[in-house]
Amino acid sequence: QVQLVESGGGLVRAGGSLRLSCAASGSIFRIEAMGWYRQAPGKQRELVASVTQGGNTNYADSVKGRFTISRINAENTMYLQMNSLNPEDTAVYYCNANGLTALRGIFNARGQGTQVTVSS
């Protein structure tokens, strides 16, 4: 079983910055892709950014140039540096990861989420 734990959310004023962290643990052989999703009240969950094991990244248009995703493969950790935050970024942010377990089974895990609130 694979567990993901997010941290780093909080309340920040518009224009401020936050750094989210995601730590994966459990029966992991290899993590392929990792990503951050967010869901605001009354809205569908959306992909914010993703990163492959090789370091290829992808961003939602709304966060390009403001957010930076990164990961440390050896530590099974992932980060999201969020700069120039605005109230539209307010949401619960979820970490997601997929890959292979130690027994070579496929896993797709998601964390419990961390709240990010940006005040105007």
Side-chain angles (χ1 to χ4, degrees):
Q1 192 172 0
V2 176
Q3 298 84 36
L4 302 178
V5 178
E6 305 99 334
S7 61
L11 173 64
V12 64
R13 290 186 176 182
S17 299
L18 283 174
R19 186 177 189 237
L20 304 183
S21 300
C22 173
S25 62
S27 179
I28 299 171
F29 172 69
R30 183 176 67 239
I31 299 177
E32 299 294 347
M34 301 185 80
W36 290 98
Y37 289 78
R38 67 185 180 185
Q39 187 165 22
K43 294 186 177 181
Q44 288 190 330
R45 189 177 69 163
E46 64 172 344
L47 176 64
V48 177
S50 63
V51 58
T52 67
Q53 191 193 50
N56 293 319
T57 58
N58 182 53
Y59 295 92
D61 287 342
S62 59
V63 307
K64 283 181 181 177
R66 300 188 298 123
F67 291 10
T68 302
I69 190 171
S70 61
R71 62 186 282 181
I72 301 176
N73 292 332
E75 298 179 358
N76 289 333
T77 56
M78 176 179 64
Y79 304 93
L80 186 68
Q81 178 65 41
M82 306 186 293
N83 299 328
S84 302
L85 286 161
N86 58 62
E88 289 69 40
D89 297 315
T90 295
V92 177
Y93 285 69
Y94 299 91
C95 167
N96 192 88
N98 61 69
L100 296 176
T101 67
L103 296 179
R104 305 306 187 267
I106 296 173
F107 74 86
N108 190 352
R110 189 178 79 176
Q112 294 297 309
T114 185
Q115 176 70 47
V116 171
T117 303
V118 185
S119 63
S120 58

